[in-house]
Amino acid sequence: MSLKIQINEETIELFEGARLLDAIRKYSPDELKQIEKKTKQIVDRKGNRLDLDGELSDGDDFYIKECR
């Protein structure tokens, strides 16, 4: 079974039990490096900042933004 999420409005298909780290790695290794360097961050639809170890649910939406 798989789940589908969206990162910056691009659909990513992942395995059940995947973490946000897995999703970002699949979406863009370069973006992951920027997140790890703290120059970018991951937020949900409401603008809440998220950690890479967060669990995913089918239909989740995330955005990668510049840190302020």
Side-chain angles (χ1 to χ4, degrees), residues 44-59:
D44 63 13
R45 278 180 246 174
K46 297 178 181 178
N48 298 311
R49 189 173 181 176
L50 304 169
D51 292 323
L52 288 173
D53 65 342
E55 291 183 33
L56 301 174
S57 296
D58 195 47

Side-chain angles (χ1 to χ4, degrees), residues 3 5-15 18-37 40-44 50-54 56 61-65:
L3 56 93
I5 65 158
Q6 288 203 336
I7 300 175
N8 293 345
E9 300 181 12
E10 182 179 318
T11 301
I12 307 293
E13 191 167 341
L14 297 158
F15 57 91
R19 300 279 181 180
L20 193 48
L21 172 65
D22 302 312
I24 301 298
R25 185 179 292 130
K26 185 171 183 176
Y27 173 75
S28 171
D30 291 332
E31 292 282 22
L32 178 58
K33 288 176 188 174
Q34 295 300 312
I35 293 165
E36 290 173 335
K37 290 179 184 177
K40 292 192 176 182
Q41 62 186 345
I42 309 161
V43 297
D44 63 13
L50 304 169
D51 292 323
L52 288 173
D53 65 342
L56 301 174
D61 290 321
F62 303 104
Y63 300 92
I64 299 173
K65 307 271 185 178

